[in-house]
Amino acid sequence: MDSIYGDVRVERVKFNANQQYEYVENFKILQNTMTKHKVNKPIDPPRLIKCRFQDNFEFLQWLKRFWDEMYQGQDYDAVGRRNGKPGGPVEGNRPMSSASSSSAGAYRTRPAPR
């Protein structure tokens, strides 16, 4: 959204969120931006926070389609917008999962080192 509109309050985004309350705060920032720009797409944070593949996949498909339609190719400095804060997962920082402990190791946020 920030690459499209350039007015997301990125200083409030928790880039390495790993707690449910941090996820909720991030979704609120997204919802506020969408409301401000009259984007009519309901977001269901409790459903997305559960990390079910299908729910998140459908939302990401919509978000990608929206970005493809709205982004006009202007320059965008993501690192500069977040003041150099890391934007990806940190080692040992996995999303919460409702998966059983036997299958929890099958989920990785990034490829295993070689």
Side-chain angles (χ1 to χ4, degrees):
M1 287 293 175
D2 193 55
S3 65
I4 297 168
Y5 300 116
D7 62 355
V8 175
R9 299 198 52 198
V10 291
E11 71 275 3
R12 296 186 63 200
V13 174
K14 308 280 191 255
F15 288 102
N16 293 313
N18 65 354
Q19 299 294 320
Q20 187 169 353
Y21 74 92
E22 293 172 321
Y23 298 151
V24 171
E25 289 175 17
N26 285 345
F27 277 118
K28 284 181 183 178
I29 293 168
L30 178 60
Q31 284 178 319
N32 290 339
T33 301
M34 292 172 71
T35 300
K36 179 179 178 180
H37 294 283
K38 297 177 177 45
V39 177
N40 189 20
K41 170 68 176 172
I43 300 175
D44 188 1
R47 193 170 171 189
L48 294 171
I49 289 170
K50 290 180 183 177
C51 296
R52 291 193 187 126
F53 176 81
Q54 190 66 34
D55 297 334
N56 286 278
F57 185 64
E58 288 172 7
F59 178 71
L60 288 176
Q61 284 182 316
W62 175 86
L63 191 59
K64 172 68 167 117
R65 198 170 337 126
F66 178 81
W67 188 84
D68 285 342
E69 291 175 13
M70 300 300 289
Y71 184 66
Q72 299 179 4
Q74 64 273 23
D75 288 337
Y76 180 69
D77 179 15
V79 175
R81 286 287 292 146
R82 62 181 185 260
N83 296 320
K85 290 182 184 177
V90 174
E91 188 63 36
N93 188 9
R94 282 196 295 174
M96 296 178 347
S97 176
S98 60
S100 67
S101 60
S102 63
S103 64
Y107 177 80
R108 296 191 187 278
T109 56
R110 63 169 106 166
R114 292 182 182 208

